[in-house]
Amino acid sequence: MITREQILQWLETLAGVLEDNQDYLSELDAAIGDGDHGINMNRGFQKVRTQLPNLGDRDIGGIFKTVSMTLISSVGGASGPLYGTLFLRSSMGVGGKSELTPEEMGGVLQAWVEGVVQRGKANLGDKTMLDALSPASDAYQQALAQGASGIEALQQAVAAAEAGMKNTIPLVAKKGRASYLGERSAQHQDPGATSSYLMLKTLQETVAGSP
Ligand code: ADP
Ligand code: MG
């Protein structure tokens, strides 16, 4: 089970992780975009952080909805609407819930993928955040189907997200700003896939109790 309190703790920890990784994410974006991905993500999640004290009595759907609205209203660039839609889509299946079963967590991961696709229309291999999120969701489902616990499945998801993130390096970008570079976008790791990996890794660490 993943509790509402763990979700709030994850968001708090994630705000710190994105603060620590602001320069790294922006450097990745400087190579193939406009160098603002770390700034965008940090700005959005510091805003989320200020909302957390007001969310003490909200269910998980309400928490995700607030995160979504906060990101959409405070983050410019592609990543605001993309992460905003990701959280919005996942809020829909978990309304009224104060904890998530491993199966429900799988539904959340699936909804993240659907939200990103709905908003950005990327395909797998387009060198976007989808290349981390989609393999993560698949690995999670596969692990559960093979009898893994929720925590073990999350570990598999993080490993798949990390591999997916690294696999973006040779890819030529087909979506977003990086696609303007064409072939020159290859040999660089996608910033959005990297922030998505960090998001999943922080979730797994929070749930495992070792942030
Ligand atoms: P911007 O490109 O507007 O400056 P950011 O730098 O914050 O926005 O985010 C860039 C990241 O957004 C990319 O690394 C990529 O992962 C992601 N991205 C861009 N376009 C799409 C899309 N259509 N679908 C999914 N992800 C996308
Ligand atoms: Mg950018």
Side-chain angles (χ1 to χ4, degrees), residues 199-211:
M199 183 166 92
L200 278 162
K201 181 166 177 280
T202 307
L203 176 64
Q204 183 261 316
E205 287 174 351
T206 303
V207 173
S210 56

Side-chain angles (χ1 to χ4, degrees), residues 15-24 42:
V17 167
L18 291 170
E19 190 171 22
D20 293 345
N21 284 277
Q22 172 174 321
D23 291 350
Y24 172 53
N42 188 37

Side-chain angles (χ1 to χ4, degrees), residues 121-144:
K121 309 276 184 287
N123 294 304
L124 212 55
D126 283 353
K127 197 179 182 98
T128 72
M129 48 198 279
L130 189 67
D131 293 327
L133 292 171
S134 179
S137 175
D138 290 350
Y140 185 94
Q141 300 292 357
Q142 196 184 341
L144 277 198

